[in-house]
Every structure is written in C-alpha cells, then in structure tokens.
C-alpha cells in the first residue's frame, strides 16, 4: 500500500509538533530541525518557513519550503549531495527522531516507543520517495 504525504493545513499546524515529537520534546525538536538544516546544508539553507506533513501510515515530517535544491554534507557518514527540500526535510526529521529516541530511552518507555514508531513510519515512506537512495545514504 502506497504511503501518502499530506501538507498540514495552517489551522492544524500548532498540533503537529506535539503529535509527532510529544509535548515533552516539541520545542526541542523544532530547534533541532533548524539546527540540522543549518549544520548539514550551511551553504544552501537560509531559514524560512517550513511545511509539516502527515503520512497516511500515522507518521509525519517537516521540510523547508523552498523550490531550490539543498546541498547536504553529513560529516558523520561522509554523505554529500544535492536533494530537494522535501527529501532534506525527511533526513532532518529522521535525525531528530533518532536523537530524541536516544534521549528518551530508559526515561520514558511510552515516549521512546512513540518516537521510534514515527521514525519507522517515516523510513517506510522514504523507501518509496523519488530520492530514496540519497535519503538513505544521508541517514546511513
């Protein structure tokens, strides 16, 4: 079954971060998204508005709203390449979910399970993304 991404309508944006990252981590997650974007794409990410997406499998992600390609350089794994803002947003969100799972582990089993579930839902969506190979090389 194909997993569909839907842009979160403006009136529902405030509920997105707590739903995806939990109330405990929503503010930290937002800051982490911007930080990863600046860290991984320092020459091409200049800030701005982000879109939030819900996935038909229950997951979600955030992506910068720009038609331009972002050049990502992930020092930790040697990835370097251009990708759409949508694909880059998937990468940034997966890094945030992974980090927050680590932080929640052994402190809050329910939150850890929720974050891990969202990571796997996003990974399942990314498998069928048109830029899947770049996404998976960036998160490896």
């Amino acid at each position: 079954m194909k997993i569909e991404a839907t842009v979160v309508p403006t009136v529902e944006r405030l509920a997105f971060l707590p739903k995806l990252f939990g109330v405990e981590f929503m503010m930290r997650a937002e800051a982490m998204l911007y930080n990863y974007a600046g860290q991984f794409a320092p020459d091409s990410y200049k800030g701005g508005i982000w879109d939030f997406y819900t996935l038909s499998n229950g997951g979600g992600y955030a992506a910068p709203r720009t038609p331009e390609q972002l050049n990502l350089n992930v020092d930790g794994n040697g990835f370097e390449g251009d990708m759409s803002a949508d694909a880059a947003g998937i990468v940034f969100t997966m890094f945030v979910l992974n980090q927050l799972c680590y932080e929640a582990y052994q402190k809050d089993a329910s939150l850890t399970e929720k974050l891990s579930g969202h990571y796997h839902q996003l990974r399942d969506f990314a498998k069928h993304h048109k830029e899947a190979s770049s996404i998976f090389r960036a998160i490896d």
Side-chain angles (χ1 to χ4, degrees):
M1 178 160 66
K2 183 176 181 185
I3 302 167
E4 300 287 335
T6 304
V7 176
V8 173
T10 302
V11 297
E12 296 175 20
R13 285 178 61 87
L14 288 176
F16 177 80
L17 292 173
K19 182 179 177 185
L20 188 65
F21 301 109
V23 174
E24 305 87 332
F25 283 137
M26 67 181 193
M27 298 298 287
R28 179 152 164 65
E30 183 178 30
M32 290 172 73
L33 284 166
Y34 306 149
N35 184 52
Y36 279 123
Q39 177 184 341
F40 294 160
D43 296 329
S44 54
Y45 172 72
K46 304 299 180 201
I49 297 172
W50 286 55
D51 286 316
F52 300 148
Y53 297 88
T54 57
L55 301 177
S56 58
N57 67 356
Y61 67 100
R65 185 185 300 169
T66 179
E68 297 165 13
Q69 295 277 310
L70 298 179
N71 180 264
L72 270 64
N73 188 337
V74 183
D75 288 335
N77 65 19
F79 174 80
E80 204 256 310
D82 292 335
M83 62 177 68
S84 68
D86 186 68
I90 293 169
V91 170
F92 305 147
T93 305
M94 291 183 83
F95 268 90
V96 171
L97 287 166
N98 183 59
Q99 177 64 35
L100 294 178
C101 279
Y102 175 78
E103 291 179 20
Y105 183 69
Q106 292 189 339
K107 294 177 187 162
D108 186 333
S110 175
L111 182 57
T112 303
E113 186 175 322
K114 174 182 181 157
L115 294 167
S116 175
H118 287 315
Y119 180 92
H120 288 94
Q121 290 164 326
L122 183 52
R123 187 189 67 189
D124 290 344
F125 172 73
K127 287 178 189 176
H128 303 286
H129 193 278
K130 64 184 176 185
E131 298 172 79
S133 74
S134 291
I135 292 168
F136 281 94
R137 284 186 294 131
I139 66 166
D140 185 23

